[in-house]
């Protein structure tokens, strides 16, 4: 299926693309595909069936020419990453999310240390986030502190559905989690990325409920909660919650990679709903690199608009909207300096303002 | 001899609670075999890891629906190809309940979950019924005083009424068209625009889930693998 391309002047086009280049994009936010239903999202090229070439949402979530072989997917190199993300992928600064999953990967899938080591080889390219797990108790608190000191982390990535020694997960509502949130704040962490949506096999049944984010966001108003994958496909709970919490953001990882190409109409609806309930100042792009490359996602989103008039009662998407989503909002969250010429023009609005929780104010537009 | 058509009709009343669609229409019934007064039903889901709570509800509901068919003496419902098949099949057969079937992994039975998703179904159904009215120029003031009887007859309205009845919400001709899905009270004109927005995003979510599940089921079992007799009346081997 093809999407109509938005018409822009060459200058606008260049500016938007450079905006994407100039700021940040999260990478490695999601690690492996799965087929879990309801909470799950089919990631591309993770479990190919030999000999099958049927067109499905599972394998064709990205354009065919961007598909990797399973061998490449299972082991891609540092050079691949640097080329795909920074040379070809328009990214200037990447927010690097760690993923431990030590029940399945003895040494972790990608740990803070490994990401940090890569970052030291390529100064200025990565924001090294860390993670914590409340079930690790005092030792976990110490490790968090060490990681923050060693790598200068200002963000964490959390997986409430991670298995650990017989436990199938945890919630942000747990008193132990509150200890870690307090410690995070004390250590200067600003951004809490929390994985809600696509599941990584095998995860527990209720672990993607977003109500725990609601509690924590209310009790920690100075922390930002970026809900990665926005609870897809069950987005309504997230939308209602985000509307009420000024410090909750929509992390678009998987939203763009998983839907824009494969399910353009659903993508348009999801974007329309997020723009309505959450607002363009609180949406951030994420590439999910290793599952998808950022290049086609960014190019596609720069060119994107609603596919038909059927979507006319959703908020409009402007070049400024895209600049904010592709970089300026994340740059603000992480204090990344954006060259003056790539910022929004005068009077175009301030990205990532907490008071911009929308949804209710312009709701009269519906009827 | 049991009428297999009646058994399939009974299975047709069993819905996926989240997708709000019949398991027969969704293709989740892979076989239904009648032998004398015994019925054997096989269910399947789009993935090996489909949420076990929803799976449990469907297996239990299928068991109850088939068991209610006149003359059925023995019912077997088996969920196949699922990571929790044993726990679910055993639990339903023993009528053990969800918590006992997932010892140590679940704290609640599933009626709360069922109600939550019925509420979503009412909201999504409200969107289907009301969006055309809004498109036709109905104002919030008009919608706020409309009753279910005012909107005429359609499949969407029937369905909305049915879901409202299931939830214990008012559903007759004189009931308000727009009601709070928890209290059942009419939605006032001021709250109405936001109510409709909530209905729409819920509809988007249900539609998305449904489309994903259908796609995955087709990927898993193939396009032509739906139970032929559903809607067609052909017999399966006994």
């Amino acid at each position: 299926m093809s999407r109509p391309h938005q018409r822009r002047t060459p200058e606008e086009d260049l500016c938007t693309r450079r905006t994407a280049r100039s700021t940040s994009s999260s990478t490695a936010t999601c690690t492996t595909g799965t087929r879990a239903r309801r909470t799950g999202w089919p990631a591309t090229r993770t479990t190919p069936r030999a000999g099958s070439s049927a067109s499905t949402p599972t394998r064709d979530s990205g354009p065919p020419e961007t598909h990797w072989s399973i061998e490449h997917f299972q082991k891609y190199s540092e050079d691949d990453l640097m080329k795909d993300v920074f040379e070809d992928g328009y990214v200037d600064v990447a927010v690097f999310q760690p993923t431990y999953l030590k029940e399945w990967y003895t040494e972790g899938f990608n740990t803070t240390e490994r990401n940090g080591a890569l970052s030291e080889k390529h100064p200025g390219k990565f924001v090294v986030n860390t993670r914590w797990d409340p079930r690790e108790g005092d030792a976990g608190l110490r490790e968090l502190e060490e990681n923050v000191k060693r790598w200068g982390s200002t963000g964490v990535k959390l997986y409430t559905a991670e298995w650990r020694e017989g436990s199938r997960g945890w919630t942000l509502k747990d008193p132990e989690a509150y200890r870690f949130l307090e410690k995070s704040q004390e250590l200067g962490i600003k951004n809490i990325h929390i994985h809600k949506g696509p599941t990584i096999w095998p995860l527990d049944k209720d672990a993607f409920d977003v109500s725990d984010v609601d509690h924590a966001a209310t009790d920690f108003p100075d922390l930002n909660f970026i809900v990665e994958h926005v609870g897809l496909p069950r987005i309504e709970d997230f939308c209602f919650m985000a509307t009420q919490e000024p410090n909750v953001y929509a992390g678009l990882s998987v939203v763009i990679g998983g839907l824009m190409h494969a399910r353009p109409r659903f993508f348009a609806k999801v974007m329309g709903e997020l723009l309505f309930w959450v607002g363009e100042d609180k949406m951030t792009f994420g590439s999910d690199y290793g599952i998808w490359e950022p290049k086609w996602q960014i190019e596609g989103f720069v060119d994107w608009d609603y596919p038909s008039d059927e979507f006319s009662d959703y908020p409009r998407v402007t070049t400024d909207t895209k600049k904010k989503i592709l970089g300026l909002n994340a740059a603000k969250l992480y204090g990344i300096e954006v060259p003056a010429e790539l910022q929004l023009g005068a009077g175009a609005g301030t990205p990532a303002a907490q008071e911009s929780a929308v949804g209710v104010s312009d709701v009269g537009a519906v009827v | 001899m049991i009428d297999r058509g009646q058994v399939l009709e009974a299975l047709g009343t069993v819905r996926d609670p989240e997708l709000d669609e019949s398991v027969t229409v969704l293709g989740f019934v892979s076989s239904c075999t009648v032998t004398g007064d015994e019925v054997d039903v096989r269910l399947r889901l789009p993935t090996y890891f489909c949420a076990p709570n929803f799976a449990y509800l469907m297996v239990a509901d299928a068991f109850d629906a088939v068991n209610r068919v006149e003359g059925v003496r023995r019912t077997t419902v088996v969920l196949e190809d699922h990571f929790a098949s044993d726990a679910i099949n055993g639990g339903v057969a023993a009528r053990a309940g969800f918590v006992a079937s997932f010892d140590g992994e679940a704290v609640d039975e599933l009626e709360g979950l069922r109600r939550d998703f019925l509420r979503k179904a009412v909201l999504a159904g409200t969107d289907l019924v009301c969006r055309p009215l809004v498109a036709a120029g109905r104002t919030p003031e008009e919608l706020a005083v409309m009753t279910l009887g005012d909107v005429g007859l359609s499949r969407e309205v029937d369905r909305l009424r049915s879901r409202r009845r299931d939830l214990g919400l008012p559903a007759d001709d004189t009931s308000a068209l727009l009601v709070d899905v928890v209290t059942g009270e009419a939605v006032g004109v001021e709250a109405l625009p936001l109510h409709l927005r909530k209905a729409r995003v819920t509809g988007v979510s249900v539609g998305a889930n449904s489309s994903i599940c259908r796609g995955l089921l087709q990927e898993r079992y193939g396009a032509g693998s739906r139970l032929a007799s559903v809607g067609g009346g052909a017999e399966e081997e006994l």
Side-chain angles (χ1 to χ4, degrees), chain B residues 24 26 29 106 113 128 133 154 199:
Chain B
T24 53
L26 287 166
V29 179
L113 182 84
L128 284 177
L133 299 175
S154 69

Side-chain angles (χ1 to χ4, degrees), chain A residues 226-244:
Chain A
I226 301 101
V227 179
E228 297 297 348
H229 326 308
V230 300
L232 273 177
R234 199 187 288 153
I235 59 168
E236 73 279 27
D237 296 340
F238 167 74
C239 285
F240 300 158
M241 185 267 289
T243 300
Q244 292 165 28

